Amino acid sequence: MKDKIVKTDYDAVIVGAGFSGLYMLHKLRKLGLRVVVFEKGDGIGGTWFWNRYPGARCDVQSLEYSYHFDDSLQQEWEWPERYSAQPDILAYINYVARKFDLQKDVVLDNEVKSASYDQNSGKWNISSTKELASAQFCVMATGCLSSTNSPSFSGLEKYTGETLHTGLWPKEKVNLRGKEVGIIGTGSSAIQSIPIIAQEAKHLHVFQRTPNYSVPAQNHKLEEEQNLIKQNYSTYRKKWEQEFFAFGVNEPAGEAASASKETLVTEYEKRWEEGGLMFLGAFSDLIIDDNANKTARDFIKNKIKQIVKDPATAKKLLPNYSVGCKRLCADTGYYETFNKPNVSLIDVSENIIKEFTKTGLLLSDGTSYELDSCIFATGFDAMTGSLDKIQINGKNGLSLKQKWGDGPRTYLGLGISGFPNLFHIAGPGSPSVLTNMMASIQQHVEWIADCINWMSKNGYTRIEAEDNAENDWVNHVNEVAEGTIYPSCNSWYLGANIPGKTRQFMPYIGGYPYYVKKCNEVASRGYDGFSLS
Ligand code: NAP
């Protein structure tokens, strides 16, 4: 406690200085509130601050993955590429912070350890590395993919080589030239970094537990297209927000289940050439009908067999579950990389990584690999991991960990029963990661700011999600997910990548437009489903 600054005059404390926390700061400050952001890192940017691994790039197009609350901002910022690389996104968020003078209210290097609701004062007490603060509102802007997952391999402490995690990549350049490099995992982070690391490493050993589906990003420099969109930016933004995933897609070519073989091939080939996640929008039934989904996965599998020259390697790269069930990846030269002589693919699904040794790692059949560097591309404790690291106590001392013991429960992904005046941006139950995150973030932040403004105008100081409303929303989120292919494989959406985590589909897959409509209805009915006092 000694040496910590004590501050009791905030109206709101925001945890996390990524895209959501910074915009929340901007909105609440505009309402005249005294606001501070506490950020663990020594820089702003959240996901884009930490994920600086080689090849890190967004899989939503730059012109869509950007704020649209200020027209001058969206007009003056120039995106170099269709899909932005991490340094460009980090430069953008720093530009935004300078333009709106946000940095002065951000305390960096300041990890939040606990947040407790004091029923007597009606305030949140927030304890961080540098400050003990209290505030009427606490907003968790902690991100969906910010708590890294590092499997506890036996013997890791003996390993004398270098270890790296894609989600905690050092700021300094990592030199992998001429080295024997191992990478564990083949999710989006690995799929983006493998082609780049293979250019440098003496040999790259890819340890794959489950193959993933990937389609080409077909990334390119942005030129005329950017000017065209900027001439009509607000019209485009409105159009994108009417889409199920809140990003631009070409109309589906009907239903795959009833399409002819010719139509299927023509449409999939077209989407493959266009590149990106819009591949899954080729037909309207791909995420709800597994037979339809099979047509898409067969197409991708054929592509893999055509691209990868060694049939044994190609076979190992073929997934055996529905495409989209684990997040689809968008790559640049991923499958092609396995044709390089310095890259090998090791299947560790059954012959698992048994342990690390002093100089590398050992599989259960006794095969050993000598590694100078080992990269963990092993993902995140998604959606709940960052909150789990903070001791959060609501009414009557109820801890969030206790409350979420059987899986996370929220109302609209924004409020939690038992935790008054605590808002969560892109929490479980929000469409978040299944949409263009920037659209969801902006909608959540604006909804929260409007709610706080409405409370103040109507003489309320306290808001809390009601149990019934929360239960109904959780049931709805589960019900909608059950009608899709999403719960059919082990994904981080379900928490299935973390040993012991309750299996529950966390994001909302009812579509962005329906979600927005529901949030607007709740607000227009005086925050229906929330109790106010
Ligand atoms: P991920 O998709 O969860 O992939 C983690 C990988 O590590 C999986 O292949 C997993 O295998 C493997 N793994 C985990 N524990 C293991 C173990 N004990 N032994 C062997 N393998 C193990 O994580 P990610 O690649 O970091 O991506 C997470 C999400 O971040 C993405 O889905 C995406 O939403 C986001 N992201 C987006 C971009 C982008 O915008 N382009 C880039 C990177 C990340 P299993 O599948 O068998 O569990």
Side-chain angles (χ1 to χ4, degrees):
M1 300 279 174
K2 212 165 47 158
D3 300 334
K4 279 193 190 178
I5 300 168
V6 178
K7 283 210 174 171
T8 53
D9 58 350
Y10 295 125
D11 295 309
V13 170
I14 298 165
V15 185
F19 276 93
S20 55
L22 291 172
Y23 184 39
M24 193 80 249
L25 166 66
H26 179 62
K27 285 297 284 182
L28 293 184
R29 245 179 20 187
K30 280 193 127 188
L31 292 178
L33 270 61
R34 289 155 300 178
V35 194
V36 69
V37 181
F38 291 160
E39 167 56 52
K40 179 179 168 184
D42 64 4
I44 61 165
T47 287
W48 301 104
F49 173 82
W50 298 104
N51 284 267
R52 45 182 87 226
Y53 59 84
R57 194 177 281 285
C58 187
D59 57 7
V60 174
Q61 302 193 65
S62 315
L63 287 157
E64 302 181 46
Y65 193 88
S66 47
Y67 290 122
H68 55 282
F69 64 83
D70 184 274
D71 194 48
S72 67
L73 169 65
Q74 64 181 7
Q75 291 298 335
E76 61 204 30
W77 184 261
E78 290 287 315
W79 291 106
E81 293 178 275
R82 178 186 187 191
Y83 293 104
S84 289
Q86 175 270 337
D88 290 325
I89 304 176
L90 196 59
Y92 169 73
I93 191 68
N94 277 285
Y95 176 80
V96 174
R98 282 194 301 278
K99 181 174 169 81
F100 298 101
D101 199 15
L102 300 175
Q103 197 103 31
K104 69 171 191 231
D105 291 316
V106 179
V107 185
L108 297 173
D109 271 324
N110 190 33
E111 185 176 1
V112 171
K113 309 279 189 192
S114 70
S116 322
Y117 183 67
D118 179 341
Q119 271 163 272
N120 296 325
S121 64
K123 287 192 167 190
W124 280 90
N125 294 324
I126 293 126
S127 170
S128 60
T129 325
K130 293 183 178 169
E131 280 192 32
L132 286 178
S134 62
Q136 185 185 357
F137 295 102
C138 179
V139 183
M140 293 296 176
T142 39
C144 294
L145 295 158
S146 6
S147 177
T148 50
N149 169 41
S150 295
S152 51
F153 291 110
S154 132
L156 192 54
E157 69 291 346
K158 286 187 269 182
Y159 176 56
T160 53
E162 175 185 40
T163 54
L164 297 149
H165 194 295
T166 48
L168 291 171
W169 201 263
K171 281 190 194 158
E172 320 71 61
K173 160 108 182 88
V174 176
N175 184 11
L176 298 172
R177 192 158 296 284
K179 291 186 179 168
E180 293 286 331
V181 180
I183 183 163
I184 303 173
T186 47
S188 302
S189 304
I191 283 178
Q192 288 185 333
S193 55
I194 283 167
I196 314 281
I197 295 169
Q199 291 169 18
E200 221 182 299
K202 181 175 172 207
H203 199 98
L204 179 62
H205 308 264
V206 178
F207 297 96
Q208 171 189 272
R209 188 165 69 179
T210 314
N212 233 313
Y213 292 99
S214 189
V215 295
Q218 310 289 17
N219 187 32
H220 55 74
K221 296 254 174 285
L222 274 180
E223 284 157 9
E224 213 25 55
E225 195 182 345
Q226 176 149 218
N227 298 333
L228 283 175
I229 286 187
K230 283 186 175 179
Q231 281 166 25
N232 262 313
Y233 224 144
S234 61
T235 312
Y236 278 103
R237 297 278 195 194
K238 279 189 197 118
K239 186 168 167 281
W240 297 332
E241 290 197 359
Q242 280 153 19
E243 298 292 348
F244 193 85
F245 295 107
F247 56 73
V249 284
N250 294 328
E251 280 299 297
E255 294 190 345
S258 55
S260 68
K261 211 170 168 190
E262 256 187 334
T263 307
L264 291 170
V265 173
T266 309
E267 190 61 25
Y268 289 136
E269 281 293 355
K270 195 175 96 195
R271 302 262 170 171
W272 187 268
E273 287 312 312
E274 283 165 1
L277 304 184
M278 289 80 81
F279 182 87
L280 270 185
F283 296 94
S284 58
D285 50 355
L286 296 182
I287 63 161
I288 51 172
D289 176 351
D290 198 52
N291 287 327
N293 188 281
K294 185 172 181 306
T295 64
R297 58 191 192 246
D298 285 350
F299 177 86
I300 301 179
K301 287 187 200 182
N302 274 332
K303 285 286 183 192
I304 298 172
K305 287 188 247 174
Q306 282 163 21
I307 298 169
V308 180
K309 298 210 172 80
D310 171 38
T313 304
K315 196 172 169 207
K316 282 189 253 177
L317 286 165
L318 304 180
N320 64 356
Y321 52 88
S322 307
V323 55
C325 177
K326 283 176 187 274
R327 188 181 176 92
L328 180 63
C329 305
D331 73 273
T332 301
Y334 174 62
Y335 294 118
E336 290 81 351
T337 301
F338 291 98
N339 293 330
K340 294 184 121 182
N342 68 329
V343 178
S344 36
L345 180 66
I346 303 115
D347 179 352
V348 294
S349 58
E350 284 170 15
N351 186 17
I352 61 167
I353 299 170
K354 186 175 171 233
E355 61 182 4
F356 271 78
T357 61
K358 196 166 174 242
T359 52
L361 60 77
L362 192 67
L363 303 188
S364 55
D365 72 352
T367 322
S368 64
Y369 294 86
E370 300 287 298
L371 303 173
D372 300 311
S373 299
C374 187
I375 299 165
F376 286 65
T378 44
F380 302 89
D381 183 355
M383 305 203 73
T384 57
S386 299
L387 287 191
D388 268 356
K389 287 186 178 157
I390 305 172
Q391 179 62 43
I392 302 174
N393 289 93
K395 271 187 341 196
N396 306 317
L398 175 71
S399 80
L400 192 63
K401 269 196 206 102
Q402 255 172 297
K403 156 122 191 172
W404 284 4
D406 292 328
R409 310 183 66 75
T410 72
Y411 181 34
L412 302 172
L414 296 165
I416 307 167
S417 157
F419 296 78
N421 289 4
L422 180 86
F423 291 104
H424 190 188
I425 303 177
S430 127
S432 63
V433 290
L434 292 172
T435 60
N436 170 6
M437 268 306 272
M438 290 300 286
S440 282
I441 284 174
Q442 208 164 300
Q443 185 272 346
H444 295 338
V445 167
E446 287 165 8
W447 190 93
I448 294 168
D450 287 348
C451 173
I452 290 177
N453 192 28
W454 182 89
M455 285 173 68
S456 140
K457 286 194 168 142
N458 288 277
Y460 294 114
T461 54
R462 186 182 165 286
I463 183 165
E464 179 189 350
E466 287 169 359
D467 248 348
N468 285 347
E470 186 176 274
N471 289 340
D472 289 349
W473 185 250
V474 171
N475 291 341
H476 175 62
V477 170
N478 288 331
E479 204 177 13
V480 177
E482 286 304 324
T484 69
I485 50 95
Y486 283 99
S488 66
C489 71
N490 291 328
S491 70
W492 59 258
Y493 296 135
L494 281 163
N497 61 328
I498 304 295
K501 188 165 173 173
T502 305
R503 198 181 167 102
Q504 179 186 314
F505 194 75
M506 293 181 283
Y508 176 56
I509 183 65
Y512 181 80
Y514 174 80
Y515 175 82
V516 174
K517 186 167 164 271
K518 168 80 182 167
C519 288
N520 291 345
E521 277 169 13
V522 165
S524 67
R525 291 190 198 133
Y527 295 90
D528 193 19
F530 287 92
S531 69
L532 288 138
S533 54

